[in-house]
Amino acid sequence: SSGINAEYGDVYDDENEHSLEMQYPYIAKVMQGYKDNFKIVSIIVGDVSVEHARQYAKVLEPLLADPHTVFVVSSDFCHWGSRFSYCNVNGETNIPIWQAITKLDKLGMDTIESLNSSAFQSYLSKTSNTICGRRPILLLLATVEEHSARNPRTESKFSFLHYSQSSKCVRQSDSSVSYASGVLTIS
């Protein structure tokens, strides 16, 4: 027993979850040469605090330490516009909206690259950025912190590889979703 109190989601949550179905085709393509030699364990992360993420991280850390395990964390970044009920420009009023969104997201990306779960939670609290996968990202960061504590000689690094927006917002009536891809390496 892990000693943590995990819950199963309900049918509503399951039917509204879409990140898994978006990732499966990519995973299938990448793993096509190994189709009978791998398993997928899907974990849907609900609203967890930093403290709970750290508890779950103790259970997940041995998997992160296993070089045969791959973690895939799926998330969009900022959902900006009135249709998303988020029009924060983080105090950036002298530049185009799309640039303010970029600065907001890049600040979050820099925070993720710091591999500090508390700093990421602080960023979210300050900005309220609408990062869909903020809780799985928080859990990954806590798991990396746990791994670093258990394995002080290893080095962990998160690097973002690409960033884009669905559109460049210039008016308050515009909307956009941001996308970022990154990779965590442990050596």
Side-chain angles (χ1 to χ4, degrees):
S1 171
S2 65
I4 58 174
N5 185 18
E7 298 178 13
Y8 288 97
D10 60 23
V11 173
Y12 176 81
D13 290 336
D14 183 51
E15 289 176 350
N16 285 298
E17 172 54 43
H18 61 277
S19 63
L20 295 172
E21 67 191 42
M22 299 301 290
Q23 295 304 318
Y24 288 149
Y26 297 106
I27 294 169
K29 178 67 177 165
V30 169
M31 299 301 291
Q32 66 187 0
Y34 306 93
K35 65 181 177 179
D36 296 324
N37 296 317
F38 76 95
K39 297 177 184 173
I40 294 176
V41 178
S42 301
I43 302 173
I44 299 173
V45 181
D47 192 18
V48 295
S49 64
V50 173
E51 294 76 29
H52 283 115
R54 289 184 177 143
Q55 290 175 5
Y56 294 128
K58 292 180 187 311
V59 175
L60 294 173
E61 188 282 330
L63 297 171
L64 186 71
D66 181 348
H68 297 99
T69 302
V70 174
F71 279 56
V72 177
V73 178
S74 178
S75 180
D76 301 331
F77 265 66
C78 185
H79 290 63
W80 195 93
S82 58
R83 71 185 182 124
F84 300 116
S85 300
Y86 187 78
C87 295
N88 185 4
V89 292
N90 207 30
E92 299 286 348
T93 57
N94 295 324
I95 58 176
I97 295 168
W98 68 270
Q99 288 180 350
I101 296 167
T102 299
K103 287 181 83 169
L104 176 70
D105 283 337
K106 294 283 186 176
L107 180 60
M109 293 162 66
D110 290 347
T111 306
I112 291 167
E113 287 179 339
S114 77
L115 298 175
N116 182 319
S117 61
S118 294
F120 184 62
Q121 181 59 51
S122 177
Y123 162 81
L124 293 170
S125 295
K126 288 177 186 170
T127 66
S128 300
N129 195 350
T130 51
I131 300 171
C132 288
R134 61 192 169 277
R135 299 303 176 215
I137 293 169
L138 182 68
L139 179 55
L140 178 65
L141 295 175
T143 305
V144 171
E145 289 170 332
E146 180 67 23
H147 178 75
S148 295
R150 291 184 189 184
N151 304 279
R153 293 185 181 166
T154 61
E155 183 179 332
S156 301
K157 182 177 181 182
F158 193 101
S159 301
F160 279 94
L161 307 173
H162 184 73
Y163 173 81
S164 62
Q165 295 173 4
S166 61
S167 65
K168 291 189 174 187
C169 297
V170 292
R171 293 179 300 280
Q172 287 291 325
S173 59
D174 292 342
S175 64
S176 176
V177 178
S178 303
Y179 305 96
S181 61
V183 63
L184 170 69
T185 55
I186 299 174
S187 55

